[in-house]
């Protein structure tokens, strides 16, 4: 009886064949880059707070061969070939918001930091929801950096350095303001507690934990957040208003006791929204530390309570669960989830305003929760997630998994 192929082998066979059809030779190596879930710590990284992030079993899978020329050729199953001359990496404003900008930004920053870059041919496929809050862009950025790291830098560039290179590309070339949570979480892999107080040297603690009583379920509400950059920027601007009132650049450096004593007066000066977002920052930062302690103590019920408190704070104080005058699929999904889940939590996921919600559901309820949510949002848009031990990595030689293939 023929053994059933794993999902990994099925995906690898598909892109291996596609690489051959496009480049007329078989690829050498396999790389992968996972999506991520922001477990708790919503919108804290850009003000140097703490977060908890985990990589998941949704990923970009790529087959690659190095070349001797000065070109990177990138092809996917969904988009035409991208060709980039690595000797011409200057910023082009017209390319903002494109994959070309991300690749060029990563290569440019690597060169600026004294690392080597070179040519290669890449073919990839992904099962990460695009534009829905599980960091397809950060997975892509980390993938490009890791390919360059493996082929041209003897794999000596550490995970957090690769994350910062990715962040540079997204902020300066792609033109999207972002913290370091997504890129760092994916570069590190697994579940990580990250303290961004010193953003140049974040403190990280990997958490080896397998959830026994709860499942993570992600729901794509089918609204893309890719056009909501201004909404994310406003959160940063509002927090900056309060920090600047105290002559600080980031809320992490503001004395929260003074802030809470003065918040009513601050609301008159700067508005309820800005003050509410600052309140969220201070309270969420403490929740992250409590959630970390709960996992260390194997207390999943307390962990679930903290996740729900985080979600409620994002909804009521951070206000990133809806956009005025837009379809409110995300808050509808949250409220529907609350009507189903009796034991667990549900919250906005990632940047918010549109995209995905994350449910932390007791194993007794998860099957029914998934069934109901799929009725409303479609089978492919509701998925139980497993935490992946790996973020972005070199997987191995294609031949190791597929054997020698005969040229057609």
């Amino acid at each position: 009886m023929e053994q059933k192929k794993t999902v990994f082998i099925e995906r690898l066979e598909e892109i291996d064949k596609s690489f051959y059809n496009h480049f007329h030779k078989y690829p050498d190596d396999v790389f992968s880059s996972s999506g991520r879930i922001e477990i708790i710590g919503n919108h804290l990284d850009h003000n140097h707070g703490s977060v908890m992030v985990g990589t998941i079993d949704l990923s970009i899978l790529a087959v690659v061969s190095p070349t001797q020329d000065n070109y990177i050729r990138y092809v996917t199953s969904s988009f035409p070939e991208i060709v980039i001359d690595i000797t011409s990496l200057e910023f082009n404003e017209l390319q903002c918001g494109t994959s070309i900008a991300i690749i060029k930004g990563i290569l440019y920053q690597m060169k600026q930091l004294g690392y080597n870059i070179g040519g290669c041919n890449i073919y990839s496929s992904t099962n990460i929801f695009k534009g829905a809050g599980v960091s397809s862009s950060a997975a892509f950025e980390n993938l490009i950096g890791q390919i360059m790291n493996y082929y041209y830098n003897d794999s000596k560039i550490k995970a957090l350095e690769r994350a910062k290179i990715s962040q540079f590309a997204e902020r300066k070339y792609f033109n999207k303001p972002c913290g370091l949570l997504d890129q760092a979480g994916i570069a590190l892999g697994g579940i990580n507690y990250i303290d961004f107080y010193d953003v140049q040297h974040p403190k990280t603690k990997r958490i080896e934990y397998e959830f026994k009583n709860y499942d993570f379920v992600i729901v794509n509400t089918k609204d893309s957040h890719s056009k909501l950059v201004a909404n994310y920027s406003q959160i940063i601007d509002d927090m900056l208003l309060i920090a600047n009132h105290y002559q600080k650049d980031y809320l992490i450096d503001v004395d929260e006791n003074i802030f809470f004593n003065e918040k009513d007066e601050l609301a008159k000066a700067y508005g309820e929204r800005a003050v509410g977002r600052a309140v969220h920052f201070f309270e969420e930062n403490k929740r992250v530390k409590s959630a970390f302690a709960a996992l260390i103590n194997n207390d999943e019920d307390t962990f679930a309570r903290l996740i729900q408190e985080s979600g409620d704070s994002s909804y009521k104080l951070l206000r990133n669960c809806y956009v005025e005058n837009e379809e409110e699929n995300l808050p509808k999904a949250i409220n529907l989830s609350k009507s189903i889940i009796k034991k667990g939590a549900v919250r906005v996921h990632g940047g918010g305003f549109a995209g995905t919600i994350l449910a932390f559901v007791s194993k007794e309820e998860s099957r029914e929760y998934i069934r109901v949510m799929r009725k409303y949002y479609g089978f492919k848009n509701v998925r139980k997630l497993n935490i992946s031990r790996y973020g972005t990595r070199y997987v191995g030689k294609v031949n190791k998994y597929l054997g020698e293939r005969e040229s057609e």
Side-chain angles (χ1 to χ4, degrees):
M1 182 176 178
E2 185 178 352
Q3 188 175 8
K4 185 178 179 180
K5 295 176 181 177
T6 65
V7 173
F8 167 75
I9 293 298
E10 289 180 347
R11 292 180 67 194
L12 182 56
E13 285 181 340
E14 181 180 345
I15 58 175
D16 178 73
K17 182 177 180 180
S18 297
F19 185 103
Y20 180 85
N21 290 339
H22 189 88
F23 295 111
H24 310 298
K25 58 184 292 188
Y26 284 111
D28 294 313
D29 301 292
V30 191
F31 294 80
S32 70
S33 190
S34 298
R36 68 93 183 96
I37 51 173
E38 176 196 276
I39 299 171
I40 190 168
N42 199 208
H43 277 284
L44 299 192
D45 55 334
H46 49 67
N47 266 265
H48 299 195
S50 299
V51 303
M52 193 179 295
V53 60
T55 46
I56 55 176
D57 58 342
L58 298 174
S59 65
I60 303 172
L61 192 66
V63 287
V64 190
S65 289
T67 61
Q68 299 301 312
D69 58 21
N70 289 319
Y71 293 93
I72 289 180
R73 302 171 183 86
Y74 193 106
V75 194
T76 74
S77 54
S78 304
F79 297 98
E81 182 180 62
I82 294 171
V83 180
I84 293 177
D85 182 347
I86 67 172
T87 65
S88 181
L89 300 174
E90 64 278 358
F91 172 74
N92 183 340
E93 187 175 357
L94 297 177
Q95 294 172 342
C96 289
T98 68
S99 298
I100 293 173
I102 286 176
I103 297 174
K104 287 177 63 176
I106 289 166
L107 299 176
Y108 173 85
Q109 184 66 352
M110 291 184 80
K111 285 191 68 177
Q112 291 295 109
L113 294 172
Y115 296 121
N116 301 317
I117 61 174
C120 59
N121 295 332
I122 308 168
Y123 197 103
S124 78
S125 71
T126 183
N127 57 13
I128 303 175
F129 301 132
K130 182 175 173 58
V134 284
S135 283
S136 56
S137 58
F140 176 64
E141 293 155 8
N142 270 285
L143 176 70
I144 298 300
Q146 183 66 314
I147 290 170
M148 293 295 106
N149 187 33
Y150 177 78
Y151 284 135
Y152 299 108
N153 294 279
D154 299 321
S155 297
K156 67 184 179 184
I157 310 175
K158 301 299 184 182
L160 287 176
E161 182 71 7
R162 287 186 276 113
K164 287 187 278 188
I165 291 169
S166 296
Q167 183 196 32
F168 171 90
E170 185 157 340
R171 293 181 69 137
K172 301 299 184 180
Y173 272 60
F174 191 80
N175 196 32
K176 179 180 177 182
C178 66
L180 193 57
L181 181 154
D182 297 347
Q183 292 84 356
I186 291 172
L188 291 165
I191 300 176
N192 283 277
Y193 169 90
I194 309 175
D195 182 344
F196 287 111
Y197 180 75
D198 180 355
V199 74
Q200 293 303 315
H201 304 94
K203 294 180 180 179
T204 66
K205 296 178 182 178
R206 187 179 175 99
I207 307 168
E208 299 290 349
Y209 191 89
E210 183 176 346
F211 289 93
K212 302 174 183 66
N213 304 311
Y214 291 86
D215 290 327
F216 285 110
V217 180
I218 201 159
V219 179
N220 180 11
T221 67
K222 298 186 287 189
D223 286 335
S224 174
H225 66 193
S226 58
K227 296 182 180 180
L228 299 171
V229 172
N231 298 86
Y232 307 134
S233 298
Q234 189 62 61
I235 291 176
I236 298 173
D237 292 344
D238 282 348
M239 290 185 179
L240 183 63
L241 268 178
I242 305 303
N244 286 352
H245 174 83
Y246 294 100
Q247 289 81 52
K248 304 294 184 182
D249 293 327
Y250 304 102
L251 284 176
I252 196 67
D253 294 318
V254 172
D255 186 319
E256 67 175 286
N257 293 320
I258 294 175
F259 163 77
F260 277 103
N261 286 334
E262 299 177 350
K263 70 182 182 68
D264 292 339
E265 292 302 314
L266 291 171
K268 295 176 183 177
Y270 301 109
E272 293 286 351
R273 186 187 65 192
V275 170
R277 285 171 167 172
V279 171
H280 166 83
F281 174 86
F282 290 118
E283 293 182 346
E284 182 83 341
N285 205 39
K286 288 184 282 191
R287 267 191 297 270
V288 174
K289 294 175 173 59
S290 297
F292 174 75
L295 283 194
I296 295 300
N297 294 320
N298 298 307
D299 187 351
E300 293 184 19
D301 291 339
T302 295
F303 185 79
R305 174 179 60 78
L306 292 164
I307 297 295
Q308 189 56 67
E309 289 178 6
S310 172
D312 291 341
S313 180
S314 291
Y315 200 113
K316 297 172 184 177
L317 295 174
L318 192 61
R319 302 187 191 184
N320 68 330
C321 292
Y322 53 87
V323 182
E324 291 184 7
N325 303 318
E326 297 287 342
E327 189 72 26
E328 295 186 352
N329 281 337
L330 195 148
K332 288 177 183 177
I334 290 175
N335 291 322
L336 175 60
S337 297
K338 285 185 174 182
S339 73
I340 301 168
I341 298 170
K342 301 298 185 291
K343 186 177 181 182
V346 62
R347 50 156 300 169
V348 63
H349 183 251
F353 298 106
T356 53
I357 63 170
L358 181 68
F360 188 61
V361 194
S362 67
K363 289 186 180 295
E364 294 86 354
E365 294 183 294
S366 65
R367 180 175 294 183
E368 177 64 10
Y369 175 73
I370 291 169
R371 184 191 69 79
V372 175
M373 297 305 282
R374 280 177 170 168
K375 177 181 175 182
Y376 286 91
Y377 296 98
F379 185 88
K380 293 182 178 180
N381 290 314
V382 182
R383 173 166 176 162
K384 185 176 81 170
L385 297 175
N386 296 306
I387 297 294
S388 171
R389 290 179 53 81
Y390 305 106
T392 305
R393 64 177 181 135
Y394 169 70
V395 179
K397 294 292 181 184
V398 179
N399 289 357
K400 174 183 176 182
Y401 299 98
L402 301 185
E404 296 288 343
R405 283 89 70 217
E406 293 185 5
S407 299
E408 299 175 0

